[in-house]
Amino acid sequence: MAATFDLTLDCADAKLLADFWKTALGYVDEPPPAPFTTREEWLAQFDLPDDDSADGGAWLCDPDGVGPRLSILKVPEPKTAKNRLHMDVRVPGGGSPDERWARIRAESERLVKAGGSVLEESGGHHIVMADPEGNEFCVAAASA
């Protein structure tokens, strides 16, 4: 059996990035683990600094339970370099290369409206983008 994995993004503004990635991925806020009813309750079990709160993080999940969980955690230091790991947002649907490219461009335009930015277009294959805090990701076609 393959191992499961979660992804974690460091950030300055967890709510901003959570809103963007929920839009980008179709994810939802993940409920706290049982038996807790709130994230505050869940966090209270850890010996965290007084200035640490549920507002400093966001936990997202795929509503269908297929994709990895995404944790977004506030950190004090800014992003200073290119990501060593990035996500590829895959746009579904087959068709001709021109049809796939049109869907990739439409998705990148939707994500720009959500706060992302286009960094580079790789002619007909993928678009390199950044989320509102500069984390790079690509928009590309899903496998046929």
Side-chain angles (χ1 to χ4, degrees), residues 7-139:
L7 297 172
T8 301
L9 282 175
D10 291 345
C11 70
D13 186 335
K15 181 176 178 354
L16 174 72
L17 280 194
D19 289 344
F20 177 82
W21 285 106
K22 284 190 283 189
T23 298
L25 302 174
Y27 273 32
V28 297
D29 291 312
E30 180 184 56
F36 304 101
T37 58
T38 67
R39 283 283 169 188
E40 289 79 5
E41 276 182 12
W42 175 70
L43 286 169
Q45 72 177 321
F46 304 105
D47 187 23
L48 297 175
D50 291 337
D51 62 346
D52 223 346
S53 72
D55 294 338
W59 296 267
L60 309 179
C61 64
D62 177 349
D64 297 326
V66 177
R69 293 171 53 234
L70 181 60
S71 300
I72 301 171
L73 304 176
K74 183 177 179 179
V75 297
E77 64 277 351
K79 179 181 182 308
T80 58
K82 182 181 183 301
N83 300 5
R84 295 291 303 262
L85 172 73
H86 72 263
M87 289 185 265
D88 288 343
V89 175
R90 297 290 182 166
V91 180
S96 71
D98 287 343
E99 291 168 328
R100 288 193 305 274
W101 182 243
R103 284 195 304 278
I104 291 167
R105 300 238 13 217
E107 180 66 3
S108 71
E109 290 167 10
R110 184 180 79 85
L111 296 177
V112 165
K113 290 177 185 169
S117 57
V118 172
L119 301 178
E120 179 184 331
E121 289 191 14
S122 182
H125 186 263
H126 68 277
I127 297 176
V128 180
M129 297 190 69
D131 71 14
E133 289 198 4
N135 298 300
E136 298 91 1
F137 65 98
C138 292
V139 176

